[in-house]
């Protein structure tokens, strides 16, 4: 069995720390300040393993640009490469800081890709067309207002201000990256803050086109995301869609994972509230 063999490589996953130095939201069971100790505890576990990198799937903070000054130093204790992608709460900052978020997280650009051990990781910016991330007056903000109004008129369950969409340019880039990976003989894992499948109130506004693309490409194995703190799982075509649970939820229980990539499966080892899963390739 592949699960008994050594993996090709491993990486860590953290989703939605949503740190802020504020009181808990008891009705939502969110303990924002406790995320500092929870991320630190996850890092202790990660440091005992051989990992290629650790990805945080967005919402590093809940609000306020200064929150990054408290939580990012926690990651400095990580002995592996710390990678980030952008979540909606990462843009709950003053208008003057909107264009600084990706750089504050040390990201090469708002969306990017990288390769490890014959696998290509495609990291999306799910906030690109939204009513909160683009600078004031940017065409993507106007486009987001139109898209949201159309979805609300249809009564769509994901017609919420805290969801968003990819630009046509980023969607084309995603297709190009998958094609380049196929030419290079690479399998693909896509990472984004937002779920796209199964359909839910937390889904990207343009989930349908994203799922159609990923499910139609033989080399796309998995799509990993956060945003819906309850977690979720779905399968479309041969692509596994895994929604990781949020760190910020509950007073003391953690949620994170180590993902082991094998030739014929992906083993997700969940810690705390995160379940373990085997994804067949």
């Amino acid at each position: 069995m592949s699960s008994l063999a050594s993996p090709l490589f491993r990486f860590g996953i953290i989703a939605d720390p949503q740190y802020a130095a504020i009181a808990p939201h008891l009705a939502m069971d969110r303990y924002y300040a406790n995320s500092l100790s929870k991320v630190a505890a996850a890092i202790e576990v990660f440091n005992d393993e051989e990992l290629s990198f650790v990805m945080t799937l967005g919402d590093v903070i809940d609000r306020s640009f200064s929150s990054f000054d408290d939580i990012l130093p926690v990651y400095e204790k990580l002995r592996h490469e710390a990678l980030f992608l952008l979540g909606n709460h990462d843009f709950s900052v003053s208008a003057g800081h909107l264009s600084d978020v990706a750089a504050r997280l040390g990201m090469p650009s708002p969306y990017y890709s990288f390769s490890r051990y014959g696998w290509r990781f495609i990291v999306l910016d799910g906030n690109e067309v939204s009513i909160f991330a683009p600078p004031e007056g940017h065409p993507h903000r106007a486009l987001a207002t139109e898209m949201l109004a159309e979805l609300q008129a249809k009564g769509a369950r994901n017609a919420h201000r805290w969801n968003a969409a990819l630009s046509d340019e980023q969607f084309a880039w995603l297709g190009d990256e998958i094609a380049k990976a196929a030419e290079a003989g690479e399998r693909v894992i896509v990472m984004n803050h937002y779920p796209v499948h199964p359909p839910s109130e937390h889904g990207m506004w343009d989930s349908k086109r994203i799922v159609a693309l990923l499910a139609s490409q033989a080399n796309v194995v998995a799509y990993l995301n956060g945003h819906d703190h309850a977690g979720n799982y779905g399968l479309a075509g041969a692509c596994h869609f895994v929604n990781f649970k949020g760190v910020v939820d509950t007073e003391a229980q953690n949620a994170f994972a180590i993902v082991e990539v094998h030739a014929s499966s992906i083993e997700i080892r969940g810690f705390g509230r995160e379940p373990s899963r085997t994804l067949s390739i």
Side-chain angles (χ1 to χ4, degrees):
M1 275 179 63
S2 64
S3 59
L4 300 177
S6 306
L8 304 171
F9 63 103
R10 301 180 181 87
F11 59 92
I13 289 283
I14 294 173
D16 299 81
Q18 258 180 253
Y19 167 76
I22 56 172
H25 190 310
L26 298 178
M28 295 181 82
D29 203 17
R30 290 184 182 174
Y31 290 77
Y32 308 99
N34 295 13
S35 287
L36 290 185
S37 59
K38 288 187 188 176
V39 170
I43 285 171
E44 276 190 35
V45 173
F46 293 151
N47 282 347
D48 282 340
E49 304 264 351
E50 290 308 317
L51 306 179
S52 182
F53 60 89
V54 171
M55 172 63 81
T56 300
L57 295 167
D59 283 3
V60 176
I61 61 166
D62 181 74
R63 66 192 75 177
S64 176
F65 198 72
S66 63
S67 295
F68 288 121
D69 297 341
D70 291 338
I71 191 163
L72 290 181
V74 177
Y75 284 88
E76 289 169 15
K77 296 187 177 75
L78 183 67
R79 70 179 183 94
H80 311 292
E81 186 176 9
L83 298 174
F84 295 92
L85 57 77
L86 300 167
N88 54 308
H89 280 275
D90 295 317
F91 291 96
S92 295
V93 297
S94 63
H97 280 303
L98 288 173
S99 54
D100 302 331
V101 175
R104 185 70 185 88
L105 289 166
M107 296 168 58
S109 54
Y111 54 93
Y112 60 100
S113 72
F114 61 95
S115 296
R116 298 284 159 92
Y117 304 94
W119 286 69
R120 184 169 302 209
F121 291 85
I122 302 174
V123 182
L124 301 178
D125 172 16
N127 314 275
E128 194 181 18
V129 176
S130 67
I131 59 169
F132 50 81
E136 291 287 351
H138 194 286
H140 284 163
R141 201 174 266 243
L143 176 59
T145 304
E146 283 171 35
M147 287 182 79
L148 180 55
E150 279 176 32
L151 287 166
Q152 285 171 335
K154 288 181 194 162
R157 42 193 301 211
N158 63 337
H160 295 289
R161 300 171 60 85
W162 29 262
N163 294 329
L166 303 182
S167 67
D168 289 343
E169 180 186 18
Q170 187 180 171
F171 182 73
W173 172 85
L174 170 61
D176 288 346
E177 283 289 320
I178 293 168
K180 284 178 193 166
E183 284 166 26
E186 294 174 328
R187 284 170 161 165
V188 171
I189 293 175
V190 179
M191 296 176 163
N192 187 19
H193 180 59
Y194 299 87
V196 291
H197 183 74
S200 75
E201 64 172 0
H202 297 278
M204 296 276 293
W205 294 337
D206 58 341
S207 290
K208 282 182 184 165
R209 68 173 179 173
I210 297 170
V211 175
L213 172 63
L214 302 185
S216 69
Q217 303 300 309
N219 63 326
V220 179
V221 174
Y223 176 102
L224 312 180
N225 66 273
H227 191 54
D228 182 353
H229 296 198
N232 207 348
Y233 169 80
L235 183 70
C239 182
H240 300 275
F241 294 81
V242 183
N243 187 146
F244 291 87
K245 293 178 185 277
V247 167
V248 71
D249 300 72
T250 77
E251 185 172 10
Q253 284 184 292
N254 215 337
F256 58 95
I258 290 174
V259 181
E260 300 192 341
V261 180
H262 298 259
S264 59
S265 72
I266 292 177
E267 306 285 342
I268 298 176
R269 240 189 315 147
F271 294 81
R273 292 177 296 108
E274 185 61 47
S276 295
R277 307 174 191 270
T278 297
L279 315 177
S280 60
I281 299 174

